[in-house]
Amino acid sequence: MSAIKHRSPVVRSFRLVLRMPSEADERITAADLPEPCAALLRTVVKRTRLWPREKADVARELIDPVPAALAAEQSSDQIVEQFGNAADAAKLIRRSRKRQRHPIARGISAAARSVVIATLIVIIAYAGLTARLLLAKPTIATNYIATINQGRPDPASLEVDGMLPHQHYNVARILWNDFVADRQARIVTETDASEELKKAADNPLSIERDHPEFEAVSTKVRSLRPVLDRVARGAAKPDHGTPYATEFTTADSADSALPIRERLNTFAPIPGDPADQEPLYNILLPHLGDMRICSMLLGFDARLALHDAQPNIAVSRWLALLDLAEQSQIDGYLISSLVALSIHTTAVQEINQGLADHAERLTNHQIVTLAHRLVTSRSSTLYIDLRMERMMLDDLLQRTFTDDGDGNGTITIAGLNTILELSGSNSRTVADLARNGSPEDTLFFASLPASPALVADRRTQRRLMREHYDRLEAATQRRPYENHQRSERNHHINPAFEDPDNPFAEMRYIVPRTFMPATGKAMNTLHLSRSRLDAALLALAAESSYL
């Protein structure tokens, strides 16, 4: 078996490679040659750059003629001189020995060289990509805040009783929160009552007359009617007057000991240089929450008024709801459109409920007024506004990608940090990835230098998202059944872009995938709101014909 192993070309190849590196030097030392001869042989053997076993064989072959030359009374200097140039000799010996190698041995040598070369190429490429990513900087040149503020009305033209509309919305919310906090403090030990109050606080419209908090809520809402009157007048304005900012400078709005004006939302001024501004997606829109609370209070007050045979108040509240929904649309944010659709739905549902419960208390003129206002709301409110979404997309791209001057560029470190923040990752920055130490974070961190190649360029990201927005806007102009007919043909812009099971697409089209989720919800909400509007118009038409 031993003989078979030694005859195996694979075994011989490995034995050739793995021979002890010092064997050639030991043979030269053991030959006891004069120092000039020994130094020459060591130089030649070293310069051959052969494998250890081959060097040992070369050393043996070079040693053999030296004793004979010394026996012929040649000096060591003469032997060295006759040998010739050591470098040339080493070169010739190397060529000869390499030709004598077994094919498997030559394959091992080639494979080793390939591995070394490939490793060096990878290291150099990785270093180059790392340097490219670290040196790449986004160019933040466009001031989108100034663009948004252009054309907005003069705040003085929006004032109602010395305050802007959004401030009246904020007052209503503060007073409602004070009522909830006071009631909560009184019944904090009663678990069931506390839970019922929480439900009422989240949505006053969800409570009926048999609700344990109905009387308390009714009393509070009636006391807020002067505030709700100002809310209604503010909602009729063309703008809510909220400044666009990213930070509050207000006192604690929950501190009921402070005067109400000191508890209002106030905003820090935004720097004029776009590079110093927060991204558009960080713009604060607190008036949306205030509007939703106001819509619930207006709807609840309309119920109370209609029950108390005060139809004028009820109609004014319903019209205020429709005005509030229309005003919410002016922002151009998708989230503002969703809030507008939600408030519009509240108005439609309350009108339907009022017709079902007390239609006889409404005059024909009031019913016609409501019908006309609902019809106009289809065009003024029931749409999806993507102006700000387009601006946010462009602002995000200018903060995350380089700019080659022609509208294109690659992802940057700042861009990766932004994407981590938007994705809600526990690692909020690239530096955090290295510190976290989890296998997923480590792998992601190691692949970062290749991100400019893996993530689609700036122009592609913008084109895909713009195409999606164009398709969404076109779909809002069609009836629901038309969208169903076209869904099979127009569902995908790019299969890889929208494929949820493709991890490559998730990274390559990271910007569109970040903005995508909200748009589908917006379309569904829009179609539902239009259907409810149609039902309300039919109900109003039926009541008007009856009268």
Side-chain angles (χ1 to χ4, degrees), residues 440-451:
E440 296 81 5
D441 286 346
T442 302
L443 180 61
F444 183 73
F445 182 79
S447 66
L448 287 180
S451 55

Side-chain angles (χ1 to χ4, degrees), residues 54-69:
E54 292 175 326
K55 286 183 178 181
D57 292 341
V58 169
R60 177 178 54 77
E61 294 172 358
L62 293 177
I63 290 170
D64 288 345
V66 174

Side-chain angles (χ1 to χ4, degrees), residues 16-35:
L16 193 66
V17 175
L18 300 176
R19 198 68 175 263
M20 292 296 294
S22 62
E23 184 175 351
D25 189 65
E26 289 176 355
R27 286 193 175 187
I28 295 173
T29 302
D32 195 22
L33 302 177
E35 183 56 32

Side-chain angles (χ1 to χ4, degrees), residues 36-37 50 53 68 71 89 106 114 123 128 143 152 197 202 227 230 235 237 246 278 313 370 377 417 441 534 538 542:
C37 295
L50 296 170
R53 173 61 184 276
R106 290 201 295 270
S114 299
I123 292 173
N143 189 338
R152 295 191 71 184
L197 177 61
D202 292 340
V227 177
R230 290 191 289 271
K237 295 288 183 176
T246 54
E278 288 287 324
I313 294 179
L370 288 172
S377 72
N417 286 333
D441 286 346
D534 293 340
L538 287 174

Side-chain angles (χ1 to χ4, degrees), residues 71-300:
E73 297 183 352
Q74 290 186 5
S75 66
S76 58
D77 292 337
Q78 289 176 327
I79 295 173
V80 170
E81 184 179 353
Q82 291 174 3
F83 188 87
N85 185 274
D88 292 340
K91 187 176 181 180
L92 293 172
I93 293 171
R94 175 175 174 80
R95 288 179 181 175
S96 174
R97 296 298 300 190
K98 288 179 68 176
R99 285 195 296 269
Q100 296 175 23
R101 288 177 180 173
H102 192 278
I104 293 181
R106 290 201 295 270
I108 293 174
S109 177
R113 285 198 304 273
S114 299
V115 169
V116 171
I117 293 172
T119 302
L120 289 175
I121 291 174
V122 169
I123 292 173
I124 293 172
Y126 190 84
L129 291 173
T130 302
R132 176 190 179 189
L133 182 63
L134 293 176
L135 295 176
K137 302 294 180 184
T139 302
I140 305 174
T142 305
N143 189 338
Y144 287 101
I145 297 293
T147 303
I148 295 170
N149 288 330
Q150 287 177 355
R152 295 191 71 184
D154 180 8
S157 67
L158 303 175
E159 287 188 354
V160 174
D161 298 335
M163 295 173 62
L164 293 173
H166 79 91
Q167 294 176 317
H168 290 295
Y169 309 155
N170 198 204
V171 167
R173 184 177 189 177
I174 288 173
L175 295 177
W176 173 253
N177 288 343
D178 285 348
F179 161 73
V180 172
D182 180 65
R183 290 287 298 169
Q184 191 76 48
R186 294 184 190 182
I187 59 175
V188 67
T189 57
E190 303 175 30
T191 304
D192 293 341
S194 181
E195 286 298 320
E196 291 297 332
L197 177 61
K198 185 178 185 303
K199 293 177 184 178
D202 292 340
N203 183 5
L205 294 174
S206 65
I207 65 175
E208 302 295 338
R209 291 190 170 272
D210 58 351
H211 191 282
E213 290 295 320
F214 181 82
E215 290 301 326
V217 171
S218 299
T219 301
K220 181 61 182 178
V221 171
R222 286 191 177 97
S223 71
L224 289 177
R225 277 184 176 171
V227 177
L228 295 179
D229 289 338
R230 290 191 289 271
V231 166
R233 292 198 295 274
K237 295 288 183 176
D239 192 294
H240 48 68
T242 306
Y244 290 105
T246 54
E247 291 184 7
F248 286 119
T249 58
T250 185
D252 185 2
S253 62
D255 187 356
S256 58
L258 294 174
I260 192 68
R261 285 183 178 268
E262 292 186 22
R263 300 169 64 189
L264 295 177
N265 289 329
T266 56
F267 304 89
I270 294 182
D273 186 351
D276 297 330
Q277 296 173 359
E278 288 287 324
L280 279 186
Y281 60 78
N282 278 344
I283 289 292
L284 298 174
L285 302 172
H287 59 281
L288 295 181
D290 297 342
M291 282 180 165
R292 295 201 66 170
I293 290 296
C294 287
S295 70
M296 297 173 191
L297 296 177
L298 288 168
F300 192 86

Side-chain angles (χ1 to χ4, degrees), residues 299 302-303 306 314-315 318-319 321-322 343-360 362 367 370-371 374 528-543:
R303 289 183 188 178
L306 200 57
V315 171
W318 292 334
L319 294 176
L321 282 171
L322 295 173
I343 295 175
H344 187 276
T345 296
T346 297
V348 169
Q349 289 176 336
E350 291 304 307
I351 291 173
N352 281 337
Q353 189 63 45
L355 291 174
D357 294 341
H358 302 289
E360 72 283 355
L362 297 172
I367 290 176
L370 288 172
L374 284 174
L528 184 60
S529 297
R530 287 176 173 175
S531 299
R532 286 171 172 164
L533 173 61
D534 293 340
L537 289 172
L538 287 174
L540 287 168
E543 292 297 335

